[in-house]
């Protein structure tokens, strides 16, 4: 596949985080800064994503400025969602300010929305730009992993293991709601790893009756406590609504536990630190080698460059068979 290339000499780059924060973003930032400096380029850290970019909010970073951040969740650069960036005039302003500051290229750490903004910068202004997939949802096509997914899944599993103790002690049914408004990757891995009796995803919706049937079947086999993992947004009204309907229509009392933003916080796992470190360096390397309009992805044990245009399509490789397997294993 032919990858887009730029012809600019890169002497200075900017780096920003955009969209929802993800554990591992700091590891990526550290790598961008330190690898960049090792290649004799200047690196500017932009605060608050695209919102900061279009106001020229950046500072040159040195090796020391990223000391001791690899172990921290969130992002020291801060992140934001910036509706204004949907306008070409806002993007033009950002490019103008970068040009005036002598910044030749950009690294964007974020999700598919952030990549749409980055793609526009290249298409409209030929700004050299490379992306690093940073989202706990793991819903970016073209890469097997995104920053923060592993940490979020492990955070949620930690919580489920604790819920199991109390669910077992009281013989209760729990509905555990995990993140992923439009994507079930977190729910799938948490459901499998947590031994959930049922997993509900945006990609595989179950009716209240389906869930009730599963719980009843478990009870018939002598299971007195069950955990159902559901992705947020799987049903309108979420887990609270599901619990109400289970009670009203099927006489099942279920406790609800919404894990929420706890999943996104905390120290990144070893996997997310490694991913951030490698992707950060590869992103700088790609810009210096003349590539643009691409994301650094991983495939097996290799890093690859994937055109932004291919990253925004949802992967069709969702492992539905694993849902069926997890139900067999939990029975
Ligand atoms: P994520 O990057 O995690 O998917 P969002 O979808 O919220 O998060 O996108 C983050 C930001 O990227 C938006 O607030 C906006 O500034 C920018 N963005 C998203 N889509 C576009 C687009 N089509 N054109 C320009 N900028 C966009
Ligand atoms: O995209 C990451 C994510 O955590 C989703 O899983 C979730 O639906 C959304 O962000 C929550 O966004 P916010 O932090 O703005 O509530």
């Amino acid at each position: 596949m032919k990858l887009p290339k730029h012809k600019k000499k890169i002497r200075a780059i900017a780096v920003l985080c955009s969209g929802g924060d993800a554990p591992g973003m700091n590891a990526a930032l550290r790598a961008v800064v330190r690898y960049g400096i090792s290649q004799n380029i200047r690196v500017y850290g932009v605060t608050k994503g695209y919102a900061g970019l279009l106001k020229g909010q950046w500072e040159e970073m040195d090796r020391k400025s990223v000391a001791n951040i690899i172990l921290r969740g969130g992002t020291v650069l801060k992140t934001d969602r910036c509706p204004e960036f949907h306008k070409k005039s806002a993007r033009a302003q950002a490019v103008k300010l970068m040009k005036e500051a002598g910044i030749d290229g950009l690294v964007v750490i974020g999700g598919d929305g952030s990549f749409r903004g980055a793609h526009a910068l290249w298409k409209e202004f030929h700004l050299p730009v490379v992306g690093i997939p940073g989202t706990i949802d793991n819903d970016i096509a073209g890469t097997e992993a995104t920053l923060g997914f592993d940490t979020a899944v492990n955070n949620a599993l930690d919580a489920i293991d604790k819920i199991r103790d109390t669910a077992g002690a009281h013989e209760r049914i729990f509905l555990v709601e995990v993140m992923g408004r439009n994507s079930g990757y977190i729910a799938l891995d948490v459901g499998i790893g947590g031994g959930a009796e049922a997993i509900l995803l945006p990609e595989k919706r179950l009716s209240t009756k389906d869930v009730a049937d599963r719980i009843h079947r478990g009870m018939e086999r002598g299971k007195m406590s069950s955990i159902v993992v559901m992705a947020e947004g799987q049903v309108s009204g979420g887990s609270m609504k599901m619990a109400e309907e289970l009670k009203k229509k099927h006489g099942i009392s279920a406790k609800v536990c919404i894990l929420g933003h706890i999943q996104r916080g905390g120290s990144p796992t070893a996997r997310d630190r490694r991913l951030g470190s490698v992707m950060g360096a590869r992103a700088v390397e790609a810009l210096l080698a003349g590539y643009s309009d691409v994301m650094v992805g991983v495939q097996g044990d290799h890093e690859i460059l994937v055109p932004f245009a291919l990253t925004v399509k949802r992967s069709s490789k969702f492992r539905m068979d694993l849902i069926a397997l997890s139900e067999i294993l939990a029975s």
Side-chain angles (χ1 to χ4, degrees):
M1 183 196 332
K2 203 161 179 293
L3 296 171
K5 292 207 86 170
H6 69 82
K7 290 203 175 88
K8 214 166 185 175
K9 171 139 182 62
I10 304 283
R11 285 161 294 223
I13 60 170
V15 52
L16 59 82
C17 295
S18 169
D21 59 290
M25 281 183 163
N26 281 326
L29 170 66
R30 171 178 174 269
V32 168
V33 171
R34 291 199 171 161
Y35 190 77
I37 291 170
S38 80
Q39 301 302 301
N40 300 315
I41 61 169
R42 297 191 307 286
V43 182
Y44 292 86
V46 182
T47 38
K48 289 196 153 209
Y50 290 130
L53 194 71
L54 57 89
K55 290 188 209 126
Q57 284 173 357
W58 51 65
E59 260 181 40
E60 187 171 348
M61 307 197 70
D62 59 16
R63 292 178 164 277
K64 235 175 128 192
S65 65
V66 289
N68 287 323
I69 64 167
I70 193 168
L71 67 167
R72 289 173 58 190
T75 157
V76 295
L77 285 181
K78 301 194 189 304
T79 182
D80 206 354
R81 296 199 169 92
C82 174
E84 232 186 311
F85 212 70
H86 285 264
K87 291 191 216 135
K88 188 172 179 187
S89 56
R91 297 192 290 271
Q93 166 73 1
V95 172
K96 177 174 164 278
L97 292 175
M98 287 174 76
K99 204 168 173 189
E100 283 167 9
I103 297 172
D104 309 303
L106 178 66
V107 175
V108 171
I109 310 172
D112 59 337
S114 305
F115 292 166
R116 277 190 203 103
H119 179 62
L121 291 173
W122 167 253
K123 273 275 176 229
E124 294 161 353
F125 307 104
H126 256 72
L127 179 83
V129 56
V130 171
I132 295 176
T135 166
I136 63 165
D137 291 344
N138 201 21
D139 59 348
I140 298 182
T143 182
E144 287 168 10
T146 62
L147 295 180
F149 174 71
D150 190 56
T151 306
V153 166
N154 280 293
N155 282 341
L157 270 183
D158 185 48
I160 294 231
D161 291 349
K162 289 173 177 142
I163 291 167
R164 272 247 177 249
D165 289 345
T166 176
H170 282 269
E171 297 190 333
R172 276 175 174 159
I173 290 145
F174 269 81
L175 293 183
V176 181
E177 185 178 304
V178 298
M179 271 188 159
R181 212 169 1 229
N182 305 309
S183 159
Y185 287 97
I186 296 178
L188 179 64
D189 277 27
V190 170
I192 294 171
E197 277 66 28
I199 305 173
L200 287 74
L201 322 169
E203 295 84 352
K204 187 176 190 289
R205 293 169 192 271
L206 292 183
S207 67
T208 315
K209 182 172 179 316
D210 289 334
V211 176
D213 285 350
R214 268 154 227 226
I215 292 170
H216 279 138
R217 281 203 298 272
M219 283 172 169
E220 279 157 19
R221 285 193 307 268
K223 264 196 166 199
M224 298 320 292
S225 71
S226 291
I227 290 191
V228 174
V229 169
M230 58 185 288
E232 62 173 322
Q234 198 277 159
V235 288
S236 97
S239 46
M240 295 303 269
K241 182 82 185 300
M242 171 70 80
E244 246 174 58
E245 288 192 359
L246 280 173
K247 180 80 190 155
K248 215 164 36 186
K249 295 187 185 161
H250 306 280
I252 293 173
S253 293
K255 294 278 177 188
V256 172
C257 187
I258 301 174
L259 298 184
H261 289 77
I262 283 176
Q263 290 159 94
R264 237 162 59 185
S267 193
T269 58
R271 178 158 169 72
D272 279 331
R273 294 182 200 198
R274 173 190 156 139
L275 210 55
S277 302
V278 173
M279 285 177 164
R282 290 286 174 265
V284 176
E285 205 173 70
L287 274 176
L288 292 177
Y291 293 104
S292 182
D293 199 33
V294 290
M295 167 195 82
V296 179
V298 285
Q299 209 171 60
D301 199 27
H302 301 285
E303 297 82 48
I304 49 170
L305 296 179
V306 184
F308 281 143
L310 300 183
T311 65
V312 292
K313 288 193 206 103
R314 174 78 66 80
S315 164
S316 57
K317 284 194 286 177
F318 204 89
R319 295 288 306 271
M320 292 298 182
D321 58 312
L322 294 183
I323 298 180
L325 175 65
S326 77
E327 282 164 10
I328 293 169
L329 299 183
S331 67

